[in-house]
Amino acid sequence: MHGTKILEEADRLMTVCNSCRYCEGLCAVFPAMEMRRAFSDGDLNYFANLCHACGACYTDCQFSPPHEFNVNVPKTLAIARAESYAAYAWPRALSGAFARNGLTISIIAALSVAGFIFGFAALNDRQVLLGIHTGPGAFYALMPHNAMAALFGAAFIYAIVALAMGVRAFWRDIGEPIGMLADPGSLWQAMKDAGQLRYLDGGGVGCVNEDERPTDRRKIYLPVVLGTLGGAGLLIGPAGLLAERSKRDPALVDEKRTGMDVAFITMLFLTSLTGMALLLLRDTPAMGPLLALHLGVVFSLFITMPYGKFVHGIYRYVALVRYAKERRQAGHTV
Ligand code: SF4
Ligand code: SF4
């Protein structure tokens, strides 16, 4: 017996897959599954977070619908993954609301903070808000450096604490003592796997999106997001990921929880957009309102980060650490 219906379904599918094993070369999920004969809740959550939804095992499966076995591993693991984010989130009460209305909450948070800064500056000195400020300290005319540092320092610390609590809950759920997270060999192997985007290509052919033709577009946009800190890269990366997401075959995605996926990528896009606008218009009267808007978006990005798509990257890395560890324990070279 499992804790949720989706984990029951994941257990059923993993039992079918463990007999079939056709997909064992596609990603890390299937080799990890083959190391077990029975699956605990923690094992299934571990598989769900090892999966990156490339869709290859759905396209390749001879038991996918309309076959009576009804095997859809990507969708089942996507739902289990989203439920695991909610289960590990800290504080837990926030995760449910975010899963349902992630984008709305993010935008309201951004506009609230932007409105607060705008209102504060307007009440303080309208000339400062709508004036032209130049030079290195121009941004601090609207909001003093110390106030800005305190506001964003608090948001950043909150995000780090919430993420750390989530990782702790995940690591415990998959049955590992917390000290094992410091195993240098596994950390390094997982870092190499993540850095090389290993397993992100559906066994070498690419990800399946709108049809059954594999493509590497997600693999291309992801490093643009991760690797280009600022500028046009952070506009193109999130926009590309959102476009690819909208084209995904509905059979592969967890449609009920799009808020979690879309909110983080949208806020990343808006951070870049408002940041670029700010840089371009910093010597005009638009600088004050734009700075308030940009700070609101960045603040919202930080405080909603622990409840959205961003956590997938963290949990996936942690799942890869465990995978590296159990592969070494089983005597595999990698
Ligand atoms: S997804 Fe289908 S083809 Fe792949 S291992 Fe499972 S049952 Fe076999
Ligand atoms: S969707 Fe891709 S990553 Fe997920 S289990 Fe299937 S082949 Fe592996």
Side-chain angles (χ1 to χ4, degrees):
M1 277 294 285
H2 290 286
T4 62
K5 275 189 185 167
I6 200 66
L7 292 180
E8 292 286 353
E9 173 64 0
D11 189 313
R12 182 184 78 82
L13 298 192
M14 290 296 103
T15 305
V16 174
C17 293
N18 224 356
S19 308
C20 166
R21 300 196 169 187
Y22 180 76
C23 296
E24 64 185 353
L26 293 183
C27 68
V29 172
F30 296 95
M33 170 200 78
E34 290 174 12
M35 291 182 213
R36 295 161 171 80
R37 293 288 168 273
F39 311 106
S40 66
D41 283 8
D43 290 333
L44 296 165
N45 284 326
Y46 162 53
F47 300 160
N49 283 283
L50 268 183
C51 169
H52 54 83
C54 74
C57 62
Y58 179 76
T59 314
D60 289 0
C61 184
Q62 59 270 42
F63 304 121
S64 60
H67 191 282
E68 61 181 321
F69 285 5
N70 192 26
V71 173
N72 186 340
V73 174
K75 186 162 192 163
T76 303
L77 293 188
I79 298 171
R81 195 161 53 242
E83 290 190 0
S84 80
Y85 298 164
Y88 305 138
W90 179 91
R92 186 128 176 226
L94 293 184
S95 66
F98 196 83
R100 286 188 299 278
N101 307 301
L103 186 56
T104 311
I105 291 174
S106 301
I107 289 174
I108 289 174
L111 291 178
S112 304
V113 174
F116 174 77
I117 296 171
F118 189 90
F120 180 81
L123 282 176
N124 214 19
D125 186 347
R126 262 179 89 90
Q127 294 306 318
V128 168
L129 181 65
L130 298 173
I132 295 176
H133 308 279
T134 53
F139 290 163
Y140 302 128
L142 185 80
M143 190 178 200
H145 173 270
N146 288 349
M148 209 182 279
L151 185 68
F152 287 90
F156 184 71
I157 289 169
Y158 174 81
I160 296 290
V161 170
L163 288 168
M165 294 297 280
V167 167
R168 183 167 163 262
F170 176 48
W171 197 246
R172 282 186 167 171
D173 186 31
I174 64 178
E176 296 286 340
I178 203 76
M180 283 310 298
L181 255 185
D183 172 28
S186 304
L187 287 172
W188 175 240
Q189 183 61 48
M191 214 173 283
K192 282 196 292 183
D193 291 344
Q196 292 163 1
L197 300 184
R198 193 176 175 188
Y199 310 120
L200 204 62
D201 58 3
V205 293
C207 284
V208 180
N209 244 10
E210 62 270 35
D211 51 32
E212 295 191 355
R213 274 172 297 134
T215 156
D216 267 345
R217 288 197 298 266
R218 286 201 317 153
K219 194 171 176 175
I220 293 165
Y221 290 128
L222 204 56
V224 174
V225 168
L226 298 175
T228 314
L229 291 175
L234 271 175
L235 281 173
I236 296 165
L241 281 177
L242 283 173
E244 289 306 305
R245 194 184 192 290
S246 71
K247 286 191 270 179
R248 296 216 85 190
D249 182 345
L252 299 176
V253 295
D254 173 15
E255 287 157 318
K256 281 192 196 150
R257 293 174 185 79
T258 50
M260 293 189 88
D261 274 14
V262 172
F264 174 68
I265 304 175
T266 304
M267 294 319 284
L268 203 55
F269 178 80
L270 290 177
T271 298
S272 313
L273 189 67
T274 52
M276 294 274 278
L278 189 57
L279 277 181
L280 289 173
L281 300 173
R282 63 185 298 168
D283 294 334
T284 73
M287 189 273 264
L290 269 176
L291 180 60
L293 187 61
H294 181 62
L295 293 178
V297 171
V298 175
F299 184 87
S300 172
L301 179 74
F302 277 155
I303 60 159
T304 58
M305 217 180 240
Y307 312 105
K309 182 77 179 171
F310 181 78
V311 295
H312 175 55
I314 309 252
Y315 291 152
R316 183 168 157 70
Y317 175 73
V318 172
L320 282 171
V321 172
R322 195 211 190 173
Y323 181 67
K325 180 182 155 238
E326 62 185 14
R327 293 273 292 171
R328 288 193 308 151
Q329 282 174 340
H332 297 277
T333 47
V334 287

